[in-house]
Amino acid sequence: MAFIGTLCLILVATMFAAHFCRRIGIPGVIGQLLVGVLLGKAVLNWIQPNVLVHEFSEIGVIVLMFLAGLESDLSLLKKYFRPGILVALLGILFPVVMGFVTGNVFHPTWNEAIFLGILLAATSVSISVEALKELNVLDTKEGSTILGASVVDDILIVLVMSLSLAFLAPNVEQRLPFPILLLEQVVYFALIYLLVRFIAPYLMKLSQRLFTSGAVIIMSLVICLAMSYIADFVGLSSVIGAFFAGIAVSQTEVKQEVQLNTEALGYAVFIPVFFVSIGLEVNFDHFMDQLVYILIFTLVAVLSKLLGGFIGARAAGFSQNSSLMVGAGMISRGEMALIILQLGYEAKLIDQTFYSPIVIVILLTTLVSPLILKYFTKKVYA
């Protein structure tokens, strides 16, 4: 029963922390992370990252990625395909290269430096969306390009991270020879295509005919969990299965019903535990020694996305100020970077010494991104 008390404490603390953060204009996820820092070994040491916290956080990240897939608007990708692709590709290339070069200075192995480049390439557009809504420019060409690019960015980064684990993760035993494992993964991506086109629509229609309470939601979660399990079985990350399961369900007529109910379930229980679990691993033992590291990586994180998005938008024919606005909209790392950080940490791709500084870098980029976006938006729509 001790975990029940722990869960109660986490839920109450994250609820109020998210509320107060949003009241002062800070993303709620920042408050949830800070709860983990406060309750973990960095400050009070009331909660330890035990098995149940780990399992709940695993479900939390799967649900979070399922929701990310549900929210991916493929129609925007089609409408703004060219600028979205250019912004996404250059918005990935610049952070990967700059992150790798910077990481190579501080980290002893190439694997860690490559992982940091991949981590910096992540984009969480949810923070930018809130800022765009507030400024009433969500439906402009710049806002739509940011959203379209984020869809491409999410898909590519999830793919790159999932495939990279097989090459970068040290001391991970493969259950099968690599060529066979690769064949399994190719078959898995074929299964994703079938899921989007045929399987998910059929299963969701079937669930609508069942007399079971909540059948539609149960079926969507079965699809999500099954695809996550199979992805893990074939050597991919479980999050890639959840993400594409969300995309598959988003193409059906029950998308809104599934999204509303999954958000209620995820954000009520599992997702707060995931964010808190990240904060539990943070400590400030060598904070002053790592201050230069944090500042440099924060600067690289901001500039790499801003430059990549700017050049991509300029190549697509946008004006200078519009291109800066698009680049600013891609800066926020938020939950996407936290998910990738956690995956890399569990695969031992990042040393414990650098875990806390990277969390702080993600927090700082998430905090400054709306401010930078607002600044450049006012230059375009003053």
Side-chain angles (χ1 to χ4, degrees):
M1 292 297 289
F3 178 70
I4 301 299
T6 298
L7 182 60
C8 183
L9 176 60
I10 288 173
L11 297 181
V12 170
T14 53
M15 178 176 64
F16 283 105
H19 166 76
F20 288 119
C21 282
R22 289 193 179 110
R23 283 292 300 271
I24 60 175
I26 298 174
V29 64
I30 303 295
Q32 294 176 329
L33 278 166
L34 292 177
V35 166
V37 174
L38 178 65
L39 299 180
K41 56 189 175 186
V43 185
L44 297 175
N45 200 27
W46 287 358
I47 299 176
Q48 284 71 43
N50 57 32
V51 174
L52 283 172
V53 169
H54 175 74
E55 295 301 326
F56 267 56
S57 67
E58 284 280 300
I59 297 172
V61 72
I62 287 172
V63 173
L64 194 60
M65 289 304 294
F66 180 62
L67 286 169
L70 278 172
E71 293 167 1
S72 296
D73 192 340
L74 297 186
S75 63
L76 274 177
L77 178 58
K78 294 175 184 176
K79 185 176 180 181
Y80 292 92
F81 181 77
R82 184 170 179 270
I85 287 288
L86 287 170
V87 169
L89 289 177
L90 291 174
I92 289 173
L93 179 63
F94 273 73
V96 167
V97 172
M98 292 174 69
F100 169 73
V101 171
T102 310
N104 222 19
V105 175
F106 292 96
H107 293 263
T109 68
W110 275 37
N111 282 2
E112 285 189 9
I114 293 170
F115 170 71
L116 278 173
I118 295 171
L119 174 70
L120 293 187
T123 291
S124 174
V125 80
S126 58
I127 308 302
S128 299
V129 167
E130 290 301 318
L132 290 168
K133 283 181 180 176
E134 182 183 324
L135 296 165
N136 296 315
V137 291
L138 186 60
D139 296 328
T140 62
K141 67 176 183 178
E142 294 88 0
S144 298
T145 298
I146 291 169
L147 293 178
S150 71
V151 174
V152 180
D153 190 291
D154 284 351
I155 292 172
L156 290 179
I157 285 302
V158 170
L159 284 171
V160 168
M161 183 59 201
S162 189
L163 293 171
S164 297
L165 286 175
F167 298 98
L168 299 178
N171 306 319
V172 176
E173 292 185 7
Q174 301 289 353
R175 60 182 179 82
L176 291 172
F178 181 73
I180 298 176
L181 204 61
L182 188 61
L183 179 62
E184 284 187 348
Q185 292 173 2
V186 171
V187 171
Y188 180 77
F189 286 112
L191 175 62
I192 288 174
Y193 172 78
L194 294 174
L195 180 74
V196 174
R197 289 295 303 274
F198 306 110
I199 300 173
Y202 172 77
L203 291 177
M204 298 316 295
K205 284 181 180 177
L206 175 64
S207 67
Q208 289 178 290
R209 295 198 294 267
L210 298 177
F211 293 106
T212 308
S213 298
V216 169
I217 311 307
I218 293 170
M219 186 65 79
S220 66
L221 289 175
V222 167
I223 293 171
C224 169
L225 297 174
M227 291 301 290
S228 297
Y229 175 80
I230 298 170
D232 183 70
F233 182 77
V234 301
L236 297 167
S237 169
S238 60
V239 300
I240 197 170
F243 184 76
F244 281 106
I247 288 178
V249 175
S250 75
Q251 305 307 300
T252 67
E253 61 185 20
V254 296
K255 172 187 174 179
Q256 287 190 329
E257 180 184 354
V258 171
Q259 186 172 341
L260 286 172
N261 285 277
T262 306
E263 280 181 349
L265 172 66
Y267 284 102
V269 183
F270 299 106
I271 294 173
V273 178
F274 165 65
F275 288 125
V276 167
S277 71
I278 293 171
L280 294 178
E281 299 286 354
V282 172
N283 65 72
F284 299 114
D285 292 345
H286 306 286
F287 178 76
M288 292 309 297
D289 298 334
Q290 295 165 336
L291 188 59
V292 172
Y293 178 93
I294 293 168
L295 293 175
I296 289 175
F297 263 96
T298 301
L299 185 63
V300 169
V302 172
L303 288 179
S304 60
K305 275 292 184 183
L306 185 63
L307 283 172
F310 170 77
I311 294 171
R314 287 291 282 173
F318 284 51
S319 68
Q320 180 172 312
N321 285 335
S322 290
S323 299
L324 286 168
M325 177 181 166
V326 170
M330 303 297 289
I331 289 173
S332 176
R333 297 322 196 271
E335 67 275 6
M336 283 300 295
L338 292 171
I339 290 168
I340 291 173
L341 174 63
Q342 197 67 6
L343 291 173
Y345 181 66
E346 290 172 0
K348 303 188 187 309
L349 287 175
I350 190 78
D351 189 82
Q352 171 67 46
T353 309
F354 297 100
Y355 182 89
S356 299
I358 293 299
V359 171
I360 295 170
V361 169
I362 295 170
L363 290 176
L364 290 174
T365 58
T366 304
L367 283 169
V368 302
S369 64
L371 302 176
I372 299 172
L373 178 58
K374 287 178 182 179
Y375 174 79
F376 287 118
T377 300
K378 288 178 180 178
K379 282 186 169 293
V380 179
Y381 297 99

